[in-house]
Amino acid sequence: LTSNNLIGTIPTSICKLTQLHELKITGNSFNCYPSCLTNVLHFYHDSTLVSCGSSTSTSTSTSNSNSVSESSQFLCSFIQSTGISSKPGYTSWQCNIDGTTTTTDPCQPSWPWPGISCMNNMITQLNLMNAGLSGSFPSGSLPSTIGNMTSLQVIDLTSNNLIGTIPTSICK
């Protein structure tokens, strides 16, 4: 999320992302961050940003399996809201005519999707640095269905043109 125009406070529900091991939020205008983020292995923030104080460390049990339909639902929503499939390098990002299923499995090595990394056939990383994304959170570029992506560990939206606040649905 580095170098976007994000503002406000990072929702404490981000503490529910127990698999998150890297978060980059430099170059934004956040007020503060939940103290649970100090437990993230690689947490990069501006030196002037401070902890909001105590936050509830949520240890909810989550399933580490994203069904193909949940991944497809998120990816199709993302494609529709950002138009990423029309951007150079991302033309393989396509959905079927129903708009809810992807044309190919983004985790299959025979047809990889740029910017997506998988482990055990589950999406673990979404790396879209300099992808030319624009829009505002929450209604624009990051669909609420991202909360279904429980195995997602890294989201890198560095150097895009995103504005607004991070949606709480990211921490479903």
Side-chain angles (χ1 to χ4, degrees):
L1 299 172
T2 299
S3 298
N4 284 285
N5 295 311
L6 302 176
I7 59 171
T9 303
I10 299 171
T12 57
S13 55
I14 198 166
C15 300
K16 293 180 182 180
L17 294 176
T18 58
Q19 298 296 312
L20 185 68
H21 70 271
E22 183 171 330
L23 180 63
K24 298 177 182 178
I25 60 170
T26 56
N28 290 292
S29 299
F30 293 114
N31 299 331
C32 57
Y33 62 86
S35 60
C36 68
L37 291 180
T38 58
N39 297 325
V40 174
L41 183 60
H42 301 286
F43 178 45
Y44 304 96
H45 58 85
D46 296 316
S47 60
T48 57
L49 189 64
V50 297
S51 171
C52 299
S54 64
S55 68
T56 308
S57 177
T58 311
S59 59
T60 58
S61 104
T62 58
S63 165
N64 278 342
S65 62
N66 291 339
S67 73
V68 172
S69 63
E70 288 173 340
S71 298
S72 287
Q73 182 185 15
F74 164 71
L75 290 171
C76 288
S77 296
F78 188 81
I79 290 166
Q80 291 168 358
S81 66
T82 63
I84 193 169
S85 61
S86 65
K87 306 217 182 280
Y90 298 97
T91 56
S92 61
W93 286 51
Q94 297 292 326
C95 290
N96 289 318
I97 198 151
D98 66 3
T100 60
T101 56
T102 54
T103 54
T104 59
D105 183 346
C107 292
Q108 291 301 312
S110 58
W111 195 265
W113 288 32
I116 291 182
S117 298
C118 300
M119 182 179 291
N120 298 325
N121 209 33
M122 295 180 291
I123 297 173
T124 57
Q125 295 186 20
L126 189 58
N127 296 303
L128 299 172
M129 185 164 72
N130 290 314
L133 302 177
S134 61
S136 62
F137 288 134
S139 60
S141 298
L142 201 59
S144 62
T145 52
I146 194 167
N148 298 332
M149 304 291 292
T150 56
S151 63
L152 194 61
Q153 298 174 1
V154 174
I155 304 170
D156 187 349
L157 300 173
T158 303
S159 298
N160 284 286
N161 191 24
L162 303 172
I163 59 173
T165 59
I166 298 174
T168 57
S169 62
I170 198 171
C171 308
K172 206 174 185 187

